[in-house]
Amino acid sequence: MPVHVVADSASKLSNLRATLEPKYAVTSELIGGAKERSSDTDAIVVTADLRVIENITALREMLGRLAHARKRIFLVDQKTRLLAVQAYALGATRVLVNPVNQARLLAELADRDQREVTSKRALYGSSQAAKSGATAIFSMFSAVLAGGPIDVTGAKEAGSRIADSIAEDGLRSWLETVRRHHEGTYQHCLLVAGVAVDFGLNLGLSSKDLERLYSAAMFHDIGKARIPLAILDKPGKLDPRERTLIETHPAAGFEVLKGNPAISQEILDAVRHHHEYLDGSGYPDGLSGASISDIVRILTISDIFSALIESRTYRPTTPRDEAYEILCSMQGKLEKPLLAAFRDVALNR
Ligand SMILES: [Fe+2]
Ligand SMILES: [Fe+2]
């Protein structure tokens, strides 16, 4: 299989060639410079600074020309990991964070052994991010119960680590790790954060919007700290009194966070309105249509999907395809084009 490598500097290009040439026939292309013919390539490896607009423009053109390549691997720098968002928006099928060793890159390119190598490493990365996420959620819930200050920065940092983990290791290993090692509301909040990030990456959101989205996901159910665990974790159906109590959590979360200077209006809005539906049948304010913001619409889809695929001791986990079907059957409540875009996240990633 020929591999086409692309870089924004001659030194990066020659390093990459040296890594791959023992095993593959390599053609190369310097952004803004010399270009070798690469029409029959099956894989592309890109290493370029994605903060530079000229690089993005050149890569967009190049990836359009080589759209038939099955593997499009981008290497990004540690400091700029969230540029993974940009890489996926350009069509990357895989993003690796530098420094990437030779064995890792070769394994990514080889069909053989690839799954095993990546999944072991991915599970480790996911479990570290999930641990810090669970700690942040625990500390927020404890603070609400004790009436103390909420560590907003800690929660946002944990959200950022989750975003890195999803961008680097994918949603599948995130779901696997979180469902295996975390329970109840912690598991739910971590799943929502992961699903929302992957949905955001899939939609090509900017880094800023992605940050808003994962922060909103981290905080969205903070009002549940005020609901007794016996109700939150009750197996089976809730009675009307319990249901009414559960439905107080979005407004309770809003009350806890409002006035906190580190919480933006968008996040407050998402916490209060993540159970609203487009047809006006949601709660607590019965909002409808245009009064429900994009970030809330994305969060709501991620929230319902995550609740369905949670692992609970008292009921079987709903498979991802069935969970997606349930979302699609919620006539008029969720935005149709967003649901269509969510299909790939729900079923394949
Ligand atoms: Fe909720
Ligand atoms: Fe939720």
Side-chain angles (χ1 to χ4, degrees), residues 321-343:
D321 55 347
E322 272 178 41
Y324 183 66
E325 265 174 43
I326 292 172
L327 286 176
C328 293
S329 71
M330 294 174 66
Q331 293 287 340
K333 296 186 187 299
L334 306 170
E335 188 189 307
K336 268 197 167 163
L338 267 185
L339 263 185
F342 188 66
R343 188 171 195 281

Side-chain angles (χ1 to χ4, degrees), residues 49-94:
D49 187 342
L50 299 183
R51 289 167 300 184
V52 177
I53 194 84
E54 290 79 13
N55 288 348
I56 293 173
T57 310
L59 286 168
R60 200 168 279 137
E61 184 277 323
M62 187 267 302
L63 287 157
R65 185 163 34 90
L66 300 173
H68 57 277
R70 203 164 45 90
K71 290 185 179 177
R72 298 181 290 276
I73 301 172
F74 278 59
L75 313 181
V76 301
D77 289 328
Q78 183 80 19
K79 302 191 286 297
T80 53
R81 301 176 119 194
L82 269 181
L83 286 177
V85 178
Q86 180 66 64
Y88 283 116
L90 282 167
T93 55
R94 189 86 179 100

Side-chain angles (χ1 to χ4, degrees), residues 188 220-221 224 249-250 274-275 283 303:
H188 172 71
H220 83 283
D221 272 343
K224 283 187 179 169
H249 80 271
H274 69 276
H275 287 283
Y283 61 91
D303 184 36

Side-chain angles (χ1 to χ4, degrees), residues 205-217:
L205 294 189
S206 69
S207 302
K208 249 200 150 50
D209 283 339
L210 198 70
E211 191 183 322
R212 275 189 200 114
L213 183 58
Y214 67 64
S215 303

Side-chain angles (χ1 to χ4, degrees), residues 167-183:
E168 197 177 335
D169 300 320
L171 182 61
R172 195 171 299 275
S173 67
W174 179 253
L175 299 182
E176 204 177 306
T177 302
V178 170
R179 287 188 293 197
R180 189 178 304 162
H181 299 292
H182 301 275
E183 286 187 332

